[in-house]
């Protein structure tokens, strides 16, 4: 948990992150590879699934859209 907290603070993240060391949540979502990211909106709906992706795209673009209350255009990206 400490490494996620450090990463979040360094990245200026305002998104809550959860670690899944036992893989329970990953199995529920059907994760095929790691790392694979699942971004949920405030109602718990899956709005993005995939890899982190390049800067300005992938997870970063999806999170920015979510924070701006805009639709997530690309709801998936290849996992790294």
């Amino acid at each position: 948990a400490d490494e996620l907290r450090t990463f979040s603070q360094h990245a200026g993240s305002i998104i809550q992150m959860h670690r899944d060391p036992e893989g329970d949540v990953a199995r529920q979502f059907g994760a095929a590879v790691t790392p694979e990211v699942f971004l949920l909106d405030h109602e718990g709906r899956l709005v993005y699934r995939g890899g982190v992706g390049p800067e300005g795209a992938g997870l970063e673009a999806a999170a920015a859209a979510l924070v701006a209350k805009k639709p997530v255009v690309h709801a998936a990206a290849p996992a790294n």
Side-chain angles (χ1 to χ4, degrees):
D2 287 339
E3 68 270 9
L4 282 178
R5 187 176 306 107
T6 301
F7 172 80
S8 296
Q9 290 170 347
H10 242 66
S13 176
I14 59 170
I15 296 172
Q16 191 174 34
M17 298 177 147
H18 295 280
R19 195 161 185 262
D20 183 27
E22 302 300 318
D24 297 331
V25 176
R27 278 189 292 285
Q28 287 178 335
F29 279 106
V33 297
T34 57
E36 189 164 5
V37 177
F38 299 91
L39 181 62
L40 309 175
D41 68 10
H42 69 282
E43 294 181 2
R45 291 180 300 218
L46 182 64
V47 296
Y48 176 85
R49 175 183 181 168
V52 174
E55 188 173 332
L59 176 61
E60 184 178 333
L66 187 61
V67 169
K69 298 182 179 176
K70 295 181 178 179
V72 176
V73 177
H74 299 288
N80 301 348

